[in-house]
């Protein structure tokens, strides 16, 4: 398991977590000591794809690509 980066708050970390899960990338988030949230990737072979996705998410977190996927992932987990 490896940390690929941090996000500024729990809400954005949870949204990104849902995005990764929808892409079949197992991950965990954890509060960091500095108030940010660390994103951990479980499988080493998924680190590169997750890191690239994190970079795109940081640049445009409100892009429909991310908001729609995160919403669908949350709905799927509730069912």
């Amino acid at each position: 398991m490896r940390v690929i980066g941090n996000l500024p708050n729990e809400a954005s970390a949870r949204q990104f977590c849902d995005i990764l899960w929808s892409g079949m990338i197992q991950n965990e988030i954890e509060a960091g000591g500095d108030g940010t949230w660390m994103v951990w990737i479980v499988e080493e072979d998924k680190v590169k794809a997750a890191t690239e996705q994190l970079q795109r998410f940081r640049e445009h977190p409100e892009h429909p690509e991310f908001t729609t996927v995160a919403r669908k992932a949350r709905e799927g987990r509730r069912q």
Side-chain angles (χ1 to χ4, degrees):
M1 200 155 65
R2 189 184 333 172
V3 173
I4 61 166
N6 294 13
L7 288 165
N9 55 56
E10 183 178 5
S12 63
R14 290 201 181 281
Q15 180 182 8
F16 188 66
C17 176
D18 288 338
I19 291 164
L20 290 176
W21 277 104
S22 72
M24 306 302 289
I25 298 177
Q26 293 180 351
N27 67 91
E28 296 180 13
I29 56 173
E30 177 181 9
D34 60 356
T36 63
W37 284 73
M38 298 180 289
V39 179
W40 293 82
I41 303 303
V42 175
E43 299 172 75
E44 188 68 27
D45 64 330
K46 306 284 183 165
V47 168
K48 183 179 180 197
T51 301
E52 291 169 357
Q53 198 154 0
L54 178 59
Q55 182 178 347
R56 288 195 334 270
F57 179 76
R58 283 179 174 154
E59 292 170 0
H60 305 286
E62 297 303 320
H63 190 281
E65 168 191 11
F66 298 122
T67 57
T68 301
V69 168
R71 186 182 74 249
K72 286 181 181 178
R74 280 190 305 275
E75 290 170 359
R77 283 188 183 171
R78 280 186 277 209
Q79 294 175 359

